[in-house]
Each structure stands twice: as structure tokens, then as C-alpha cells.
Amino acid sequence: MPGFHIFVTQRSFEGHSHRWPLFIVFLLFWVSCASHQRFHEQLIGDFGRIVLHQSNLGINDFVLGVPHGTAEVDAIEYAKTISDRTGAGLVIAYGFKANRIPVTQPLIHTTPISWPATDAARPASVYPEFKKFLRSASVGPLRFYVGIRIAEEAKQPPRIEVASGGLSFEQLKFLKEAYTAIRDRSIKDMPIPKVEIALNPIDDISWNAFGAKNHGVLMLAEKGLILRMPKVLTLPDFKSVYREIIAKWVIEASTVARRISVQMPEIQVKQLPYGRIDLIPSRNNSRGIVIGAPHGSFDWHTSELVEELSYRTSLASVVTRGFTPTECGGWRINVNRPTERRYPTDTVERATDRAREVYQHFTESVFEAARGPLDLYIDMHQNSSENNIDVATLGITREQARAIKSKYQEIRDRLLRNEPEVAKVNLVIEPLDQVSIGAWAAKDHGILRLSKSSLHFELPAQHVFYKEHARSVYTKILAELIDSIAISWLHSNANHRATRYRRVKDLRQESRSLNSFYFPVT
């Protein structure tokens, strides 16, 4: 340790030789702690504090977070066990839960909030400070984040519930099996309950992770997990065993998050100043068809929908998170076209440098996912103003639209036969029907015109997205519909890709050199 010296004389050694082994052990432990840990703290008014415990020995791109250290003391013990095993940095926030101040996500609002005069200094969220601590604990990009929470007993089933980000369905299924194996080996015949685990999105969980996933810590890290532990695992006899189980499992998860595997598709993450773009490759080696969620955070649940559609159909997908007024200072970057708009007041879209840059990254990811010419691009959106599923199109004939509509009705009626509580939503599609939302901006100067054929889905929030069960049923309906469409397109377009590829290159170059400044909102 720099600046620390030990001077030992022969006489002192000879006179107290029986005490030296104990003294040396203590000294080595003290030096190890002093040299291998760095401690930083920030007080935020009288509302709380954030503390960083950073190791010099561990993994430089793996950080642990405990957002409610005062109210959930046991979460600190679990996190410290993992940090000790891995050397990962540890960030702990204290006091903010009692003050109802968000830690792991920004405050998501489109209109200002007025706090009482006595709370003038109260922060709306301490996520910016928490984020700075997470980044300072990581050398370079934050590759892997693990958050630890303890649930209130009445609000969660007696199982570990995990929200995830940046991990494929295959990786999550592997981790679920790995947890069961680690747990069973560790417990064996001990009189300790075998607590189950649920990993979202392959499993439903009882707590809402939307903010952390679409605007907060799970968007910040390339890959991440937030573990919400049941109250039973804070009991002393259980905690000592499950601390080791969770530590071993998180080590396995950190390995899965880093390694490249043919059996478990890797989500390719592109992190930008105002959000992120995730590319999920095709699982069946198909080319030319991509599903997109350009407003994955703004159009609630569309990012999760497209991830599941990609898994169920094996088609490639590109999913964005962020780029909303929360990240962009009151503006939404449109992503699937090179413009942005101030919400909720503006009635025009403005082309800006940052919007062009995001659009360029998005289109590059879409073409990378297509692995060549883009034969069919499918955009997924949500709206709260319509009752039908609107499908705006480019490059679709009336006969093709009629076939898609007929197939949708057949699938919908079959899957809703035993679901009387789920609304039967109609589908209207161009050029067969008149649609309310025509996606004219994305057609005129956006992603829809770069594909040989394009489908722009607008899903009604009140019928499809608001209720979890309806969302699950319509995900199955849409997956079966898109799978049917894809099979038809893959067969009918195989002979036209070379010609289309040259035309698409010209269109992409043209889209990057747009000189117009304003576009009407549609």
C-alpha cells in the first residue's frame, strides 16, 4: 500500500514471536480491505444518500445496485455477498424510499409537477445521480447490472421475481434452469424451502418494471437483471443458504451475458445518447424480413411485444427504448424517420441532426437484421384513439391485403373462442380498407419506403395492451398472423432480392441527405 511501511526490529520479534501470526493475519486483512475497496458518498439534501463501494480487483463492467438500502437492509447483505464473490462494484441508495423518490428510473411525465412550497428542494428523482454512480463504478460501458430488492410480503408471491433487459428468451430459459440446478445442489436434504424463480418476459411477474426497463437502469446497462426477493428469504436460517445460491446464480448469469453462443442468440445492443437500439437476429436463418418497435418506450409494451413476436416467429427484430420526452427534454425522436416533435403541444415534426443520426442507426440495424435486401418490414405501434387494428401499407396489393385480413379473422376467431372476456378487435388494412392512421410520414421519408413491402400496425391500447391477459392473447394472434405472412413472403420474393438491393441502397443514400426542415404530422 503506497505510503504504508512496517519496521520490525529483531528484539521486538524475539520478545513477542507468539503474537505475530495473529497480528500478521489482521494486518493483511486490513491492508487488503483498504487497498481493494474505494468508497464514495453523496448526500442529496435531507432526503437520502448514495454510496459507492468499488473494488479494484473485480469485474470492471459489472455493477450491483441496491436502491432502497434503508428500508431493505437484507438486500445489502445479498448484494455484498455477490460483490465479494465477483469483485463487482456496489452502489447503495439510502433514504429515498421513505420520501417516495424514484431511484432506478427518472420521473416519467409529460407535464411539470409542482411540489408544495415546503418541498421546493425535493428532487423529482435521483436517477441521474444513481446513474452517475453506476457509470463511475464501471470502466467503459456498463455491460451488466444486477439490482437487488426485497418485496413487501403482501405484494409478491413467495418466489424470486426477476425483470430482465438485453437477454434473449433462450438465455433466460437457460438461466431459469441453471437457478433450479444450483438451488437443488445447495439445499439437498436441508429443511429449507425450495423457492421458485420467475424471469420476465418468459414468465409473468407481479411487480411493474416498466420504468426501469424502458427509461431506467435496465436501459442503461447492455444486459441486466433486477431481482425482487420474497420476504421469506430474509429469515436468518434461509438467508445464509440463499445468499450463496443467489451469488452462484448471478455469477452464471454474468457469464451468460458475456459469452457468444450459437445455441442462445445474442441481442446486439447499440447505445446512443438518448436511448438504445437492440437487434435480435433471426433464429431460423431467414433473410429479408424484420419486425420493428421504433417507439418501444413511448408506445407502451410494443418493445416487449416485438421481442416475443421475434421469438415466436424466429424472425429478426429491431427494438428501441428511450428517445421519448423523458430522455429528450420534452421532444420525441421519431426513430423510424429523421424527425422529432415536441410533446404534447407541437403539430409539426422537425428534422434535426440528432433525429437524423438516430434514424440512420435504426435503418442500419434493420438492414443488418435483414442480412441483405429488405423484402418485408413490419412496424408495431400502439395508440389510444382507435378501436380497430389499423394496418397502413406500402407495396401491398388488394389481393394480398384481403388474404392478410382473412387470415387474421380466422386466427382471431379460433384463439378467442374460449376467451369471452377478451374483446374481438377488427383489422382494417390498406389498400383494401380506409385506415385512420396512414403512417404518411414514415411512408414519405422514413423506414417504410426502404422495403419492398411494408406493414405498419397500429394496435388499440384499450383492447390489446391495457389488460395483461388480452395482451397475451393478442400476442399469440399476431405471432401466428406474422408467421403466416412471412412464410408467404419468403417463398414469393426469393427471386427479386438482387435488383431490390441496388434500389434500396439508392433510397438510403437519399434519406440521409434530406434538406427539408419541417414535415406535417400524420
Side-chain angles (χ1 to χ4, degrees):
M1 180 177 179
F4 185 85
H5 303 279
I6 303 174
F7 296 95
V8 182
T9 65
Q10 182 177 358
R11 183 175 178 180
S12 65
F13 181 84
E14 289 174 350
H16 304 279
S17 59
H18 63 286
R19 299 180 184 176
W20 272 96
L22 182 60
F23 173 73
I24 290 173
V25 169
F26 172 80
L27 183 62
L28 289 174
F29 174 78
W30 183 86
V31 171
S32 175
C33 290
S35 60
H36 296 163
Q37 293 287 334
R38 286 182 287 168
F39 178 89
H40 303 281
E41 182 178 39
Q42 179 181 350
L43 297 174
I44 301 178
D46 296 326
F47 302 104
R49 60 193 176 99
I50 302 176
V51 176
L52 165 63
H53 303 268
Q54 186 171 16
S55 173
N56 292 330
L57 298 178
I59 303 171
N60 291 327
D61 57 1
F62 174 17
V63 182
L64 294 150
V66 178
H68 302 304
T70 303
E72 302 171 10
V73 177
D74 296 286
I76 299 175
E77 294 187 47
Y78 275 96
K80 283 187 174 179
T81 300
I82 300 169
S83 181
D84 290 344
R85 299 290 187 276
T86 63
L90 172 59
V91 179
I92 307 172
Y94 296 91
F96 301 105
K97 186 175 184 179
N99 290 293
R100 294 186 299 170
I101 298 173
V103 175
T104 58
Q105 66 182 65
L107 191 66
I108 305 167
H109 271 277
T110 55
T111 56
I113 289 181
S114 298
W115 295 105
T118 54
D119 287 343
R122 177 193 179 104
S125 167
V126 294
Y127 176 62
E129 291 80 9
F130 193 70
K131 178 169 64 174
K132 288 177 184 176
F133 270 68
L134 294 178
R135 283 178 168 164
S136 67
S138 175
V139 178
L142 178 55
R143 305 285 184 189
F144 191 49
Y145 170 82
V146 174
I148 305 293
R149 296 289 316 277
I150 303 295
E152 297 178 22
E153 195 166 8
K155 293 186 177 181
Q156 180 176 314
R159 62 180 183 175
I160 301 167
E161 294 193 333
V162 184
S164 70
L167 293 162
S168 68
F169 276 61
E170 290 84 355
Q171 289 172 320
L172 293 172
K173 287 184 175 182
F174 174 83
L175 289 178
K176 188 170 184 177
E177 294 172 0
Y179 166 81
T180 301
I182 292 169
R183 180 201 63 190
D184 292 350
R185 284 198 306 267
S186 300
I187 292 177
K188 294 182 181 177
D189 298 324
M190 289 190 290
I192 292 177
K194 291 185 176 181
V195 176
E196 299 296 325
I197 195 169
L199 286 89
N200 178 262
I202 64 171
D203 301 309
D204 293 329
I205 59 176
S206 63
W207 58 282
N208 184 4
F210 178 86
K213 191 164 187 173
N214 286 280
H215 300 278
V217 288
L218 289 182
M219 192 178 76
L220 175 67
E222 287 189 9
K223 302 179 190 300
L225 302 167
I226 299 177
L227 284 66
R228 200 173 179 99
M229 316 287 287
K231 201 75 172 176
V232 67
L233 296 188
T234 66
L235 299 175
D237 292 343
F238 300 164
K239 182 167 59 177
S240 60
V241 175
Y242 272 91
R243 279 169 61 185
E244 296 300 321
I245 292 172
I246 295 302
K248 291 176 182 176
W249 183 71
V250 169
I251 291 170
E252 183 69 35
S254 70
T255 302
V256 169
R258 286 174 172 80
R259 73 186 175 201
I260 298 174
S261 170
V262 176
Q263 289 75 28
M264 293 187 288
E266 284 286 314
I267 296 178
Q268 301 169 29
V269 179
K270 185 181 292 185
Q271 292 184 306
L272 302 173
Y274 302 100
R276 63 185 275 162
I277 301 172
D278 291 1
L279 188 164
I280 306 173
S282 167
R283 293 170 168 89
N284 61 4
N285 206 35
S286 63
R287 295 173 179 267
I289 302 179
V290 180
I291 312 171
H295 304 153
S297 294
F298 191 84
D299 292 350
W300 283 29
H301 302 297
T302 55
S303 56
E304 294 83 357
L305 169 69
V306 169
E307 287 173 342
E308 186 163 350
L309 291 177
S310 178
Y311 173 69
R312 286 177 174 271
T313 64
S314 295
L315 296 172
S317 65
V318 176
V319 175
T320 74
R321 287 184 168 89
F323 308 112
T324 77
T326 299
E327 293 80 25
C328 303
W331 295 73
R332 186 192 78 173
I333 296 176
N334 290 315
V335 181
N336 66 348
R337 51 197 189 270
T339 59
E340 57 182 281
R341 174 192 168 193
R342 181 181 290 279
Y343 273 83
T345 56
D346 278 11
T347 57
V348 293
E349 294 180 1
R350 175 176 297 189
T352 65
D353 289 341
R354 67 177 183 176
R356 291 188 188 97
E357 182 180 0
V358 171
Y359 174 64
Q360 180 177 335
H361 282 295
F362 181 71
T363 55
E364 287 173 352
S365 294
V366 168
F367 278 90
E368 184 178 350
R371 300 191 300 148
L374 187 58
D375 292 325
L376 177 64
Y377 174 71
I378 303 169
D379 235 8
M380 285 290 172
H381 298 263
Q382 174 246 101
N383 74 83
S384 57
S385 61
E386 301 301 321
N387 293 317
N388 297 322
I389 296 175
D390 277 13
V391 186
T393 69
L394 274 181
I396 302 291
T397 66
R398 290 179 64 87
E399 291 73 20
Q400 290 171 325
R402 184 175 289 107
I404 292 171
K405 185 172 184 175
S406 176
K407 186 65 176 177
Y408 167 81
Q409 291 172 342
E410 182 273 316
I411 297 168
R412 178 201 62 188
D413 292 348
R414 172 164 42 84
L415 293 185
L416 292 185
R417 191 169 296 146
N418 298 316
E419 302 283 356
E421 73 281 11
V422 178
K424 186 178 285 188
V425 181
N426 292 323
L427 181 146
V428 292
I429 180 171
E430 295 177 328
L432 187 66
D433 304 309
Q434 182 74 35
V435 300
S436 299
I437 301 175
W440 296 110
K443 289 177 180 177
D444 183 55
H445 51 271
I447 187 71
L448 298 183
R449 74 195 192 109
L450 300 184
S451 178
K452 180 180 179 182
S453 301
S454 296
L455 301 171
H456 176 105
F457 281 76
E458 289 281 350
L459 306 176
Q462 64 270 32
H463 296 310
V464 175
F465 281 122
Y466 280 171
K467 294 183 179 179
E468 187 174 294
H469 182 61
R471 190 163 67 243
S472 174
V473 173
Y474 272 97
T475 297
K476 295 175 184 176
I477 292 171
L478 291 168
E480 192 170 333
L481 175 66
I482 290 172
D483 193 47
S484 172
I485 295 170
I487 291 171
S488 174
W489 248 257
L490 288 170
H491 288 162
S492 63
N493 291 286
N495 297 325
H496 304 288
R497 287 182 179 149
T499 302
R500 177 62 187 167
Y501 182 61
R502 288 191 293 271
R503 182 173 170 232
V504 162
K505 285 181 68 177
D506 294 339
L507 284 169
R508 290 174 70 192
Q509 184 62 37
E510 179 186 342
S511 72
R512 291 177 189 173
S513 58
L514 286 171
N515 294 318
S516 54
F517 196 66
Y518 289 102
F519 298 98
V521 175
T522 58

